[in-house]
Amino acid sequence: MPAVISTVWGKTDMARRVHIIGAGAIAHHHADAARLLGLPFAACDPGASALEAFAAAFPEARTYADVDAMLANARDGDIAVVAVPPKLHVAMAQKAFAAGLHVVCEKPVVRDGAELDELTGAACAADRRLVDASVRFTGLPSQERARALLNEGVVGTPYLVRMVNRRNRARPGVEYQPTSRWFINRDAAGGGVLMDWGVYDLTQLFHVLRPVAAEVLCATAKSVQTGADPEDVAIEVESHVAATLRLTLPGDEAVDFIYERANGCHGPELSELTVEGNRGALAWQWLPPYPEGAITVDLWRDDAGKMIRETETLPMGAHPHFHHVPLHAMHDALEGGAQDRVDLSRIAFNFAVIQAIYRTAESGRPTQVALTPGGAG
Ligand SMILES: NC(=O)c1ccc[n+]([C@@H]2O[C@H](COP(=O)([O-])OP(=O)(O)OC[C@H]3O[C@@H](n4cnc5c(N)ncnc54)[C@H](O)[C@@H]3O)[C@@H](O)[C@H]2O)c1
């Protein structure tokens, strides 16, 4: 296969370009996002079938078998999207930073704390921006409204957050995308449902609450057995995680956080997100589908001794499709828009809390994490 199998960019084209490393399932969504933003884009993948499928879906894209060949054609200030399995995230991001590119890195952004230091260190050394694709479900009108309501004190003093998302049979590499077996390999994926969905859960919750510290008080991370488990390869990652944390909010309030996420479990399926305060409770929708382009925020409060529930329905407006959010967040930040999703200290804090849940599940002892404003962790 030739290094370049489709279109050639015009020499006079000054638009920022997007270089997608890995042309598998998620790369197609990033390509859609680049297309909608009107940015020229390329992809590379050593896997011939993935690359050919990408080229067929996006005939306007340049395609390469090799990442170095693609980056050799990139310009300082372009955007790289790292869309390979997590084991390769740091190495690919380092190549992109070294070539002068800003990096949107798929989630989980890294596999452990040492890799996090390497990744954020590379971003700082290159003076380039990083978006962790865990922001995929952030920036929703419901979250911005919930944040405003909490700041206005509509629930009084918050004291408890409960976030539960339990699915019975939704393990990537098994029931979902079964050909991508790397999802169930610990070395390749870094972990199971906590790495796959936990990073979204915490990123979206912390986008609203903005905690400055967290202590994981107790945690469990387990894998269940099912008749659908593959026979040819072992499942090395957890399918069910539960933890109790104490969050410290920016005003120094302590809030207990009961958290659970499963993509494989035997009990009932549940989905809930509630923030309880002494004068009310709040819930906001953040998971798709968003029927009829609208999204809701629910407020429960006391009215003369009676409980009332008020549902506010907000238009989605120009909010991008969730799969397009990571590239949009980077593009906005580079164009002078919101910078909160390229904040390295927040990226580092969110991931450190994920790691702290694993550590407490393993050791049985509490683990503390603090935000380091202006720093990377
Ligand atoms: N599939 C999803 O629904 C989904 C959703 C959100 C995030 N993600 C994340 O996106 C990333 C990729 O997942 P995916 O589902 O697209 O996986 P995938 O298995 O469909 O694709 C990964 C691709 O990376 C390619 N690759 C491997 N080594 C490479 C290299 N050296 N250079 C370039 N390409 C290389 C593989 O050939 C493969 O085509 C992961 O971090 C995953 O967690 C996936």
Side-chain angles (χ1 to χ4, degrees):
M1 179 182 302
V4 178
I5 61 170
S6 45
T7 50
V8 176
W9 287 322
K11 284 197 169 56
T12 55
D13 167 23
M14 295 309 290
R16 210 184 286 280
R17 295 166 178 172
V18 178
H19 308 266
I20 307 171
I21 305 173
I26 204 65
H28 288 239
H29 294 292
H30 292 294
D32 278 335
R35 206 184 234 176
L36 287 170
L37 284 165
L39 304 178
F41 58 98
C44 69
D45 199 309
S49 58
L51 198 60
E52 278 161 21
F54 186 93
F58 303 98
E60 75 269 42
R62 278 186 168 200
T63 48
Y64 300 80
D66 178 62
V67 60
D68 295 318
M70 182 173 75
L71 293 178
N73 277 311
R75 292 182 301 207
D76 195 62
D78 279 357
I79 300 169
V81 177
V82 174
V84 289
K87 183 178 185 171
L88 298 171
H89 285 184
V90 174
M92 294 301 163
Q94 281 172 328
K95 280 179 186 282
F97 285 135
L101 279 68
H102 304 281
V103 172
V104 174
C105 186
E106 262 308 336
K107 45 58 63 175
V109 64
V110 287
R111 294 174 301 167
D112 57 37
E115 285 195 342
L116 183 72
D117 291 345
E118 283 184 68
L119 183 69
T120 54
C124 288
D127 194 20
R128 287 292 175 266
R129 292 189 174 124
L130 173 68
V131 164
D132 168 359
S134 308
V135 298
R136 191 163 263 122
F137 300 102
T138 63
L140 291 158
S142 54
Q143 293 159 337
E144 305 311 332
R145 182 71 181 132
R147 187 167 153 68
L149 289 169
L150 286 167
N151 288 341
E152 283 168 26
V154 293
V155 304
T157 305
Y159 60 86
L160 181 67
V161 179
R162 197 167 56 225
M163 187 180 206
V164 180
N165 274 291
R166 298 163 49 98
R167 303 277 311 279
N168 290 140
R169 298 286 182 273
R171 297 166 294 179
V174 184
E175 288 91 6
Y176 171 77
Q177 217 171 302
T179 53
S180 295
R181 283 284 205 238
W182 62 261
F183 276 108
I184 57 174
N185 177 281
R186 177 163 295 282
D187 182 52
V193 70
L194 192 56
M195 289 295 210
D196 196 43
W197 269 101
V199 294
Y200 291 135
D201 294 336
L202 298 197
T203 301
Q204 83 83 26
L205 180 69
F206 293 176
H207 183 74
V208 175
L209 298 181
R210 313 278 164 112
V212 296
E215 181 173 16
V216 183
L217 301 168
C218 63
T220 186
K222 294 282 187 290
S223 178
V224 296
Q225 293 178 347
T226 83
D229 296 0
E231 285 170 9
D232 55 330
V233 52
I235 298 178
E236 298 176 356
V237 297
E238 81 286 352
S239 65
H240 192 170
V241 168
T244 301
L245 298 89
R246 184 154 300 145
L247 305 177
T248 307
L249 302 189
D252 221 27
E253 313 95 314
V255 177
D256 285 339
F257 172 29
I258 297 170
Y259 174 62
E260 192 182 351
R261 170 62 85 167
N263 60 16
C265 67
H266 297 304
E269 295 204 332
L270 291 171
S271 184
E272 187 194 344
L273 165 61
T274 317
V275 177
E276 309 260 358
N278 62 336
R279 288 199 282 113
L282 192 66
W284 60 93
Q285 193 190 356
W286 66 278
L287 281 170
Y290 314 119
E292 294 167 23
I295 197 158
T296 57
V297 178
D298 284 303
L299 175 66
W300 292 264
R301 61 183 179 82
D302 184 89
D303 183 20
K306 289 204 175 105
M307 274 301 298
I308 57 168
R309 174 182 178 168
E310 295 164 332
T311 299
E312 208 175 330
T313 302
L314 303 157
M316 289 293 282
H319 187 76
H321 184 277
F322 58 88
H323 274 314
H324 303 165
V325 166
L327 188 58
H328 272 258
M330 174 63 86
H331 189 253
D332 282 356
L334 293 174
E335 297 299 317
Q339 302 294 313
D340 57 334
R341 288 176 290 182
V342 291
D343 178 348
L344 285 184
S345 48
R346 180 56 68 186
I347 292 171
F349 175 80
N350 292 352
F351 189 78
V353 177
I354 293 286
Q355 288 295 293
I357 293 173
Y358 280 128
R359 202 169 312 142
T360 294
E362 253 173 57
S363 69
R365 288 193 296 277
T367 309
Q368 286 145 5
V369 180
L371 181 76
T372 312

